[in-house]
Amino acid sequence: MPTEVALLESRALRGEQMGRVDVLDKVRSLVMLPDGIHVRTEEVARYFEVSTEAVKKVTQRHRAEVTENGLVLLRGAELRLFHRDMLSLWEGAGRESYPQAATQLTLYTRRTVLNIAMLLRDSDIARCVRTYLLDAEEPLRTRYASLDQRVTRIESCLSGVGSALQELGPVLVRMSERLDSLDRKAELTHQVVRAMSVRLADVQQDIVRLDGRLDGFARQMKELRRRSERRGQHGQR
């Protein structure tokens, strides 16, 4: 379990705790700007009960780290746009006046404030935040250990499944070969059926032609019979 000193000295350890912004509200309420996202240097100093200079010094010493965790510095057009947005939200909340910075404004997010809490040495509030973080570390480690055991059991089960799949592999190969053979036989059967269909169509045409010839032969026989009958009648006269 890391100590408070280790947390103060190690940026890597601080990085592991950056998702725990909920700890800030467990210690005391942090007053945000009307957007609910940002807070000024004055509010950060008030939260930790230190001077604004103390907050500025910590910010300067660890500029890259706090910038990575949400610190922004607004100037010029960006500052004017931010003031315009904040002024409308401020008036909508029924507040009397919105304090505007003249030339530049440093803004912190809750993540940045948590970062400052892990850097401020001379603040009882910051120490309290660090205590919450460190006290929560052990239960988290216990849960991680339990999760690791569960993952290990799952991996063991999966290894057994892998062995079963390896044994099933040859069976699946043989089944695949048999299915391929059946597919080939089915294709041959389809070819025979198609050939028989063509042949039956030819036979049907032959039958139609034969029927036509038989009808013609029948007509000829009737004609011969009538002629024979007429000759017999003439002979009797």
Side-chain angles (χ1 to χ4, degrees):
M1 178 176 176
T3 63
E4 183 179 359
V5 174
L7 196 61
L8 287 165
E9 299 296 334
S10 173
R11 179 173 177 177
L13 288 177
R14 292 193 294 271
E16 294 176 0
Q17 303 294 335
M18 288 313 304
R20 301 293 314 285
V21 294
D22 58 297
V23 171
L24 296 173
D25 293 324
K26 293 180 180 180
V27 177
R28 65 185 305 185
S29 176
L30 176 64
V31 179
M32 310 295 292
L33 287 173
D35 64 354
I37 299 174
H38 298 99
V39 60
R40 302 176 306 160
T41 305
E42 291 79 4
E43 281 76 34
V44 176
R46 192 172 297 115
Y47 178 85
F48 290 114
E49 297 180 350
V50 296
S51 66
T52 56
E53 289 303 318
V55 175
K56 291 178 181 178
K57 287 180 181 179
V58 170
T59 300
Q60 289 300 325
R61 284 199 301 267
H62 302 274
R63 191 76 183 186
E65 182 178 346
V66 294
T67 299
E68 182 180 316
N69 288 305
L71 182 78
V72 292
L73 179 63
L74 300 181
R75 294 191 181 94
E78 289 184 341
L79 179 59
R80 289 191 296 273
L81 179 60
F82 181 82
H83 279 324
R84 186 190 67 185
D85 294 340
M86 287 301 100
L87 184 60
S88 62
L89 292 172
W90 195 276
E91 293 174 349
R95 304 182 184 184
E96 294 182 356
S97 62
Y98 169 69
Q100 297 189 30
T103 58
Q104 65 181 32
L105 177 63
T106 302
L107 295 174
Y108 303 72
T109 64
R110 296 176 67 84
R111 187 180 177 94
T112 321
V113 176
L114 180 62
N115 198 167
I116 297 296
M118 291 185 280
L119 293 169
L120 267 176
R121 295 177 180 269
D122 299 325
S123 167
D124 291 336
I125 302 299
R127 291 192 191 95
C128 189
V129 172
R130 292 194 291 270
T131 299
Y132 267 101
L133 291 173
L134 295 173
D135 287 346
E137 184 73 14
E138 189 60 32
L140 285 174
R141 289 182 182 275
T142 302
R143 289 200 293 271
Y144 289 154
S146 175
L147 179 61
D148 183 65
Q149 293 174 359
R150 291 167 63 187
V151 171
T152 301
R153 289 197 296 270
I154 292 173
E155 289 176 345
S156 300
C157 293
L158 290 177
S159 64
V161 172
S163 301
L165 289 176
Q166 289 178 351
E167 295 175 358
L168 188 59
V171 177
L172 293 175
V173 171
R174 290 194 296 271
M175 290 180 64
S176 177
E177 291 174 350
R178 293 182 64 183
L179 289 174
D180 290 341
S181 177
L182 288 173
D183 286 341
R184 289 193 294 271
K185 290 180 180 178
E187 180 60 28
L188 291 174
T189 301
H190 291 161
Q191 292 177 2
V192 171
V193 170
R194 286 195 293 269
M196 290 179 65
S197 297
V198 173
R199 182 55 184 162
L200 287 173
D202 294 339
V203 170
Q204 185 177 8
Q205 293 177 358
D206 292 340
I207 291 174
V208 170
R209 288 194 294 270
L210 181 59
D211 286 342
R213 294 177 63 183
L214 289 174
D215 290 342
F217 182 72
R219 288 193 297 271
Q220 291 177 1
M221 292 299 295
K222 288 180 181 180
E223 182 64 26
L224 288 175
R225 190 179 298 111
R226 285 196 298 270
R227 289 178 182 177
S228 177
E229 290 174 353
R230 284 198 295 271
R231 288 195 192 97
Q233 290 175 356
H234 287 309
Q236 289 177 359
R237 292 177 185 174

